[in-house]
Amino acid sequence: LLGDHARRNVVELDATGRDLYRQRLDQPLDPARIADCTGPGHVIVRHAGCSLGMGQLIIDPNGSAMRLRSLYPAAWTPRAPS
């Protein structure tokens, strides 16, 4: 995949962020995590240097921060055992 070669519009997540992303949950991002992003829009999401998929940077409703909206496929979302 080309995501491993991208240098801009990439968000690197820690383990907690990775888990939220895989659960398809929005998460706030601190400015350091989006320093290489050009603004709101689609981004490549990585954890430990491995591409996980795509996300969307959105501006919080109050306009003061950015959030990552997960675009992780619903069919791949981990489910709790029943």
Side-chain angles (χ1 to χ4, degrees):
L1 293 172
L2 298 176
D4 294 338
H5 301 286
R7 300 288 178 253
R8 286 187 304 162
N9 295 322
V10 174
V11 175
E12 182 77 27
L13 298 176
D14 58 17
T16 301
R18 175 205 59 206
D19 294 344
L20 292 171
Y21 174 77
R22 291 182 65 216
Q23 294 170 28
R24 298 178 48 86
L25 299 173
D26 288 0
Q27 58 186 292
L29 295 173
D30 61 75
R33 290 211 189 269
I34 57 172
D36 294 328
C37 298
T38 58
H42 290 92
V43 294
I44 296 170
V45 179
R46 291 185 187 152
H47 169 68
C50 296
S51 297
L52 300 175
M54 298 295 294
Q56 185 176 12
L57 283 182
I58 56 174
I59 299 172
D60 262 346
N62 62 11
S64 65
M66 297 288 273
R67 299 182 66 75
L68 176 66
R69 174 155 295 152
S70 175
L71 299 179
Y72 194 76
W76 298 354
T77 302
R79 291 181 176 74
S82 48

